[in-house]
Amino acid sequence: MILVTGGAGYIGSHAVLELRRSGHPVVIFDDLKEGHRAAALGTPLVQGDLCDRDLLIDTIRRNKVEAVMHFAARCYVGESVTQPAKYIRDNARGLFELLEAMRACEVKRIVFSSTCAVYGVPARVPITEEFPRQPISPYGITKRFCEEELEMYCRAYGFAVVAPRYFNAAGADPEGRLGEWHEPETHLIPAVLRSILSGGAKPLEVFGTDYPTPDGTCIRDYVHVADLATAHRLALGVMKPGVFEPVNLGSGRGNSVLEVIAAARKVTGAEVPYLVKPRREGDPPALVGGVDKAKRWLGWTARHVDIEETVRHAWNWLAAHPRGYAS
Ligand code: UDP
């Protein structure tokens, strides 16, 4: 049995689907503050707070859990600046309580959702796993600390850990069963699509057109959420006791904000009016993942690397669920 924390959230729900598809029994642990019960697609779900160690222990024992995938976390960079306490509690302490619950139950295998935010502003792209971890936001700092907690648990207690560092998770289940729904929405692709859905009532804002990039807008590596889910399943098969393995998960290419807007225009056939705004604080000009290690060590490469296809999958779900999981 695999315990998936945050399994009712965006990336977690896609991982649950992938695990079930490949025959793994799954139990979800989610506080449903940002997750959606409907995204569990009927998978057993324990609603609870990660800081409730007794409930975690009970869930692990009752379900005979053998390994954990830990997605549950707060993940808004901007919010982490104004509300760091929430990030320290839910990300750093949340992981600590989970690790202690696992230790009490002698479960020592964990795939931990990390992020390219641990790198901060890289000196160059593509970014490889050896780059220094110099996060610039409280969110990134809590994720780096989580990685450090895990490194200590590997060394001292023999935990087996894989820490995928995601670039920009994007898209939706190609079969349209799951999608991305956050309130408020700050991520580019759903923000573009939701502005189209609003018929121009909520115009898109482009944060900065004066970056040192070919078209002046930021470049990001949009990695398809279904590919992320596959990588997590593969990680379960390669983890080793006492070893902490970080691995970048990216599409291997970068797209600018204007390229994403152009893809959305093509997919939806709609115009995308936008307002040019100043740069958003803390946005590095370009983030693209070096994915050689994922290929070599995990046997994984992203399959959906065409930005138009990724945007199309996001659009298919959103157009069918204009109010998200409440639709
Ligand atoms: N972005 C934008 N308008 C939006 C949302 C995002 O111009 O409404 C830009 C943002 O500045 C960044 C890129 O799109 O350069 C991706 O942002 P997102 O929040 O999706 O991901 P991040 O890279 O910050 O994790």
Side-chain angles (χ1 to χ4, degrees), residues 286-322:
L287 293 174
V288 179
V291 286
D292 287 355
K293 178 171 177 181
K295 191 170 185 182
R296 187 172 20 88
W297 174 72
L298 205 53
W300 175 91
T301 39
R303 288 177 49 225
H304 308 285
V305 294
D306 174 22
I307 190 70
E308 232 176 272
E309 184 192 21
T310 301
V311 170
R312 187 178 327 112
H313 291 160
W315 175 246
N316 287 347
W317 187 81
L318 202 62
H321 302 82

Short mmCIF file of all heavy atoms in Angstrom, two decimals, residues 286-322:
data_model
loop_
_atom_site.label_atom_id
_atom_site.label_comp_id
_atom_site.label_asym_id
_atom_site.label_seq_id
_atom_site.Cartn_x
_atom_site.Cartn_y
_atom_site.Cartn_z
N ALA A 286 15.07 33.03 -16.42
CA ALA A 286 14.92 31.75 -17.11
C ALA A 286 15.22 30.59 -16.16
O ALA A 286 16.20 30.63 -15.42
CB ALA A 286 15.86 31.69 -18.31
N LEU A 287 14.33 29.59 -16.18
CA LEU A 287 14.55 28.37 -15.41
C LEU A 287 14.26 27.20 -16.34
O LEU A 287 13.13 27.02 -16.80
CB LEU A 287 13.60 28.30 -14.20
CG LEU A 287 13.80 29.32 -13.08
CD1 LEU A 287 12.68 29.20 -12.06
CD2 LEU A 287 15.14 29.12 -12.40
N VAL A 288 15.30 26.43 -16.62
CA VAL A 288 15.11 25.24 -17.45
C VAL A 288 15.92 24.12 -16.79
O VAL A 288 17.07 24.34 -16.39
CB VAL A 288 15.60 25.47 -18.90
CG1 VAL A 288 15.41 24.21 -19.74
CG2 VAL A 288 14.86 26.63 -19.55
N GLY A 289 15.31 22.96 -16.69
CA GLY A 289 15.95 21.86 -15.98
C GLY A 289 16.85 21.03 -16.89
O GLY A 289 16.48 20.70 -18.01
N GLY A 290 18.02 20.69 -16.35
CA GLY A 290 18.84 19.67 -17.00
C GLY A 290 18.27 18.32 -16.58
O GLY A 290 18.09 18.08 -15.39
N VAL A 291 17.95 17.46 -17.55
CA VAL A 291 17.22 16.24 -17.20
C VAL A 291 18.00 14.97 -17.51
O VAL A 291 17.43 13.89 -17.59
CB VAL A 291 15.82 16.23 -17.88
CG1 VAL A 291 14.91 17.21 -17.18
CG2 VAL A 291 15.90 16.56 -19.36
N ASP A 292 19.33 15.10 -17.62
CA ASP A 292 20.15 13.91 -17.91
C ASP A 292 20.06 12.87 -16.80
O ASP A 292 20.00 11.68 -17.06
CB ASP A 292 21.63 14.32 -18.08
CG ASP A 292 21.86 15.04 -19.39
OD1 ASP A 292 20.90 15.14 -20.18
OD2 ASP A 292 22.98 15.55 -19.61
N LYS A 293 20.07 13.34 -15.56
CA LYS A 293 20.04 12.37 -14.45
C LYS A 293 18.72 11.58 -14.46
O LYS A 293 18.72 10.37 -14.21
CB LYS A 293 20.22 13.07 -13.10
CG LYS A 293 20.15 12.09 -11.94
CD LYS A 293 20.55 12.71 -10.62
CE LYS A 293 20.39 11.67 -9.51
NZ LYS A 293 20.74 12.22 -8.19
N ALA A 294 17.62 12.29 -14.73
CA ALA A 294 16.32 11.61 -14.76
C ALA A 294 16.33 10.50 -15.82
O ALA A 294 15.80 9.42 -15.62
CB ALA A 294 15.21 12.61 -15.04
N LYS A 295 16.98 10.78 -16.91
CA LYS A 295 17.03 9.83 -18.01
C LYS A 295 17.93 8.63 -17.64
O LYS A 295 17.54 7.48 -17.75
CB LYS A 295 17.60 10.54 -19.25
CG LYS A 295 17.46 9.77 -20.52
CD LYS A 295 17.83 10.66 -21.68
CE LYS A 295 17.58 9.91 -22.98
NZ LYS A 295 17.97 10.70 -24.13
N ARG A 296 19.11 8.98 -17.16
CA ARG A 296 20.13 7.97 -16.86
C ARG A 296 19.72 7.11 -15.67
O ARG A 296 19.79 5.89 -15.71
CB ARG A 296 21.42 8.75 -16.55
CG ARG A 296 22.66 7.96 -16.35
CD ARG A 296 23.91 8.86 -16.25
NE ARG A 296 23.71 10.26 -15.91
CZ ARG A 296 23.67 10.76 -14.67
NH1 ARG A 296 23.79 9.97 -13.63
NH2 ARG A 296 23.50 12.04 -14.44
N TRP A 297 19.28 7.76 -14.62
CA TRP A 297 19.12 7.06 -13.34
C TRP A 297 17.70 6.52 -13.15
O TRP A 297 17.49 5.47 -12.56
CB TRP A 297 19.50 8.04 -12.22
CG TRP A 297 19.26 7.52 -10.86
CD1 TRP A 297 19.98 6.55 -10.23
CD2 TRP A 297 18.22 7.90 -9.98
NE1 TRP A 297 19.45 6.31 -9.00
CE2 TRP A 297 18.37 7.13 -8.82
CE3 TRP A 297 17.17 8.84 -10.05
CZ2 TRP A 297 17.50 7.24 -7.74
CZ3 TRP A 297 16.33 8.96 -8.99
CH2 TRP A 297 16.49 8.17 -7.84
N LEU A 298 16.73 7.28 -13.69
CA LEU A 298 15.33 6.88 -13.48
C LEU A 298 14.76 6.21 -14.73
O LEU A 298 13.72 5.55 -14.67
CB LEU A 298 14.53 8.17 -13.19
CG LEU A 298 13.25 8.13 -12.40
CD1 LEU A 298 13.45 7.41 -11.07
CD2 LEU A 298 12.76 9.56 -12.14
N GLY A 299 15.44 6.37 -15.86
CA GLY A 299 14.90 5.84 -17.11
C GLY A 299 13.68 6.63 -17.57
O GLY A 299 12.77 6.10 -18.19
N TRP A 300 13.67 7.93 -17.25
CA TRP A 300 12.48 8.77 -17.53
C TRP A 300 12.83 9.94 -18.42
O TRP A 300 13.85 10.60 -18.21
CB TRP A 300 11.93 9.30 -16.20
CG TRP A 300 10.79 10.28 -16.33
CD1 TRP A 300 9.46 9.98 -16.35
CD2 TRP A 300 10.87 11.72 -16.42
NE1 TRP A 300 8.72 11.14 -16.46
CE2 TRP A 300 9.55 12.21 -16.50
CE3 TRP A 300 11.93 12.63 -16.46
CZ2 TRP A 300 9.26 13.58 -16.60
CZ3 TRP A 300 11.63 13.99 -16.56
CH2 TRP A 300 10.31 14.43 -16.63
N THR A 301 12.01 10.17 -19.43
CA THR A 301 12.05 11.48 -20.11
C THR A 301 10.59 11.90 -20.31
O THR A 301 9.70 11.05 -20.44
CB THR A 301 12.69 11.43 -21.52
OG1 THR A 301 12.29 10.23 -22.15
CG2 THR A 301 14.19 11.51 -21.49
N ALA A 302 10.38 13.20 -20.35
CA ALA A 302 9.02 13.69 -20.53
C ALA A 302 8.52 13.29 -21.92
O ALA A 302 9.26 13.35 -22.89
CB ALA A 302 9.01 15.21 -20.37
N ARG A 303 7.27 12.85 -21.99
CA ARG A 303 6.69 12.45 -23.29
C ARG A 303 5.94 13.61 -23.93
O ARG A 303 5.88 13.74 -25.13
CB ARG A 303 5.73 11.28 -23.09
CG ARG A 303 6.46 9.97 -22.79
CD ARG A 303 5.48 8.84 -22.52
NE ARG A 303 4.44 8.74 -23.54
CZ ARG A 303 3.14 8.57 -23.30
NH1 ARG A 303 2.71 8.48 -22.05
NH2 ARG A 303 2.28 8.46 -24.28
N HIS A 304 5.33 14.45 -23.09
CA HIS A 304 4.52 15.55 -23.62
C HIS A 304 5.34 16.84 -23.54
O HIS A 304 5.27 17.55 -22.54
CB HIS A 304 3.25 15.72 -22.79
CG HIS A 304 2.46 14.46 -22.61
ND1 HIS A 304 1.69 13.92 -23.61
CD2 HIS A 304 2.34 13.63 -21.56
CE1 HIS A 304 1.10 12.82 -23.18
NE2 HIS A 304 1.49 12.61 -21.94
N VAL A 305 6.14 17.10 -24.56
CA VAL A 305 7.03 18.26 -24.47
C VAL A 305 6.59 19.43 -25.35
O VAL A 305 7.21 20.48 -25.35
CB VAL A 305 8.49 17.89 -24.81
CG1 VAL A 305 9.05 16.94 -23.76
CG2 VAL A 305 8.60 17.28 -26.19
N ASP A 306 5.51 19.23 -26.08
CA ASP A 306 5.02 20.29 -26.96
C ASP A 306 4.08 21.19 -26.14
O ASP A 306 3.06 20.72 -25.62
CB ASP A 306 4.29 19.63 -28.14
CG ASP A 306 3.61 20.66 -29.02
OD1 ASP A 306 4.03 21.83 -28.99
OD2 ASP A 306 2.64 20.29 -29.72
N ILE A 307 4.43 22.46 -26.04
CA ILE A 307 3.66 23.36 -25.16
C ILE A 307 2.19 23.43 -25.59
O ILE A 307 1.29 23.53 -24.77
CB ILE A 307 4.32 24.77 -25.09
CG1 ILE A 307 3.66 25.63 -24.00
CG2 ILE A 307 4.28 25.50 -26.42
CD1 ILE A 307 3.95 25.19 -22.60
N GLU A 308 1.96 23.32 -26.90
CA GLU A 308 0.58 23.37 -27.38
C GLU A 308 -0.23 22.17 -26.87
O GLU A 308 -1.40 22.31 -26.48
CB GLU A 308 0.60 23.35 -28.91
CG GLU A 308 -0.21 24.48 -29.51
CD GLU A 308 -0.07 24.45 -31.01
OE1 GLU A 308 0.89 25.07 -31.50
OE2 GLU A 308 -0.90 23.80 -31.67
N GLU A 309 0.39 21.01 -26.85
CA GLU A 309 -0.30 19.80 -26.36
C GLU A 309 -0.59 19.95 -24.86
O GLU A 309 -1.69 19.65 -24.39
CB GLU A 309 0.58 18.56 -26.61
CG GLU A 309 -0.13 17.28 -26.20
CD GLU A 309 0.81 16.07 -26.16
OE1 GLU A 309 2.04 16.25 -26.05
OE2 GLU A 309 0.28 14.95 -26.20
N THR A 310 0.39 20.45 -24.12
CA THR A 310 0.21 20.64 -22.67
C THR A 310 -0.94 21.61 -22.41
O THR A 310 -1.81 21.37 -21.58
CB THR A 310 1.53 21.14 -22.05
OG1 THR A 310 2.54 20.16 -22.33
CG2 THR A 310 1.42 21.35 -20.56
N VAL A 311 -0.94 22.72 -23.16
CA VAL A 311 -2.01 23.72 -22.98
C VAL A 311 -3.36 23.12 -23.40
O VAL A 311 -4.38 23.36 -22.76
CB VAL A 311 -1.69 25.01 -23.79
CG1 VAL A 311 -2.88 25.94 -23.84
CG2 VAL A 311 -0.47 25.72 -23.20
N ARG A 312 -3.35 22.29 -24.44
CA ARG A 312 -4.61 21.68 -24.90
C ARG A 312 -5.21 20.78 -23.82
O ARG A 312 -6.41 20.82 -23.55
CB ARG A 312 -4.40 20.89 -26.19
CG ARG A 312 -5.74 20.40 -26.78
CD ARG A 312 -5.61 19.64 -28.10
NE ARG A 312 -4.52 20.12 -28.92
CZ ARG A 312 -3.41 19.41 -29.18
NH1 ARG A 312 -3.27 18.20 -28.68
NH2 ARG A 312 -2.46 19.92 -29.94
N HIS A 313 -4.36 19.99 -23.16
CA HIS A 313 -4.87 19.12 -22.09
C HIS A 313 -5.45 19.96 -20.95
O HIS A 313 -6.50 19.63 -20.39
CB HIS A 313 -3.77 18.19 -21.58
CG HIS A 313 -3.36 17.16 -22.59
ND1 HIS A 313 -2.16 16.49 -22.54
CD2 HIS A 313 -4.00 16.69 -23.70
CE1 HIS A 313 -2.08 15.64 -23.56
NE2 HIS A 313 -3.18 15.75 -24.28
N ALA A 314 -4.75 21.04 -20.61
CA ALA A 314 -5.26 21.91 -19.54
C ALA A 314 -6.61 22.51 -19.95
O ALA A 314 -7.56 22.57 -19.16
CB ALA A 314 -4.25 23.02 -19.24
N TRP A 315 -6.69 22.92 -21.21
CA TRP A 315 -7.91 23.57 -21.71
C TRP A 315 -9.08 22.58 -21.76
O TRP A 315 -10.21 22.91 -21.39
CB TRP A 315 -7.64 24.16 -23.10
CG TRP A 315 -8.86 24.74 -23.76
CD1 TRP A 315 -9.47 24.28 -24.89
CD2 TRP A 315 -9.62 25.90 -23.33
NE1 TRP A 315 -10.55 25.07 -25.19
CE2 TRP A 315 -10.67 26.06 -24.25
CE3 TRP A 315 -9.49 26.78 -22.26
CZ2 TRP A 315 -11.60 27.09 -24.14
CZ3 TRP A 315 -10.44 27.81 -22.14
CH2 TRP A 315 -11.47 27.95 -23.07
N ASN A 316 -8.81 21.34 -22.22
CA ASN A 316 -9.89 20.35 -22.31
C ASN A 316 -10.57 20.17 -20.96
O ASN A 316 -11.80 20.11 -20.86
CB ASN A 316 -9.34 18.99 -22.78
CG ASN A 316 -8.98 19.03 -24.26
OD1 ASN A 316 -9.35 19.96 -24.98
ND2 ASN A 316 -8.23 18.03 -24.70
N TRP A 317 -9.76 20.09 -19.91
CA TRP A 317 -10.35 19.89 -18.58
C TRP A 317 -11.07 21.14 -18.10
O TRP A 317 -12.20 21.10 -17.63
CB TRP A 317 -9.28 19.48 -17.56
CG TRP A 317 -9.88 19.11 -16.25
CD1 TRP A 317 -10.45 17.90 -15.92
CD2 TRP A 317 -10.06 19.96 -15.11
NE1 TRP A 317 -10.95 17.94 -14.64
CE2 TRP A 317 -10.73 19.19 -14.12
CE3 TRP A 317 -9.72 21.28 -14.82
CZ2 TRP A 317 -11.05 19.71 -12.86
CZ3 TRP A 317 -10.05 21.79 -13.58
CH2 TRP A 317 -10.71 21.01 -12.61
N LEU A 318 -10.40 22.29 -18.29
CA LEU A 318 -10.96 23.54 -17.78
C LEU A 318 -12.25 23.93 -18.50
O LEU A 318 -13.21 24.39 -17.87
CB LEU A 318 -9.92 24.65 -17.93
CG LEU A 318 -10.10 25.84 -17.02
CD1 LEU A 318 -9.98 25.43 -15.55
CD2 LEU A 318 -9.04 26.89 -17.34
N ALA A 319 -12.28 23.71 -19.81
CA ALA A 319 -13.49 24.06 -20.56
C ALA A 319 -14.67 23.20 -20.11
O ALA A 319 -15.82 23.64 -20.11
CB ALA A 319 -13.23 23.90 -22.06
N ALA A 320 -14.35 21.95 -19.69
CA ALA A 320 -15.42 21.06 -19.20
C ALA A 320 -15.74 21.32 -17.72
O ALA A 320 -16.75 20.86 -17.22
CB ALA A 320 -15.01 19.61 -19.40
N HIS A 321 -14.83 22.03 -17.02
CA HIS A 321 -15.02 22.28 -15.57
C HIS A 321 -14.74 23.75 -15.29
O HIS A 321 -13.77 24.10 -14.61
CB HIS A 321 -14.05 21.42 -14.75
CG HIS A 321 -14.19 19.95 -14.98
ND1 HIS A 321 -13.61 19.31 -16.04
CD2 HIS A 321 -14.87 19.01 -14.29
CE1 HIS A 321 -13.92 18.03 -15.99
NE2 HIS A 321 -14.68 17.81 -14.94
N PRO A 322 -15.57 24.65 -15.83
CA PRO A 322 -15.26 26.09 -15.70
C PRO A 322 -15.25 26.59 -14.27
O PRO A 322 -14.70 27.66 -14.00
CB PRO A 322 -16.36 26.76 -16.52
CG PRO A 322 -17.43 25.73 -16.68
CD PRO A 322 -16.79 24.39 -16.58
#
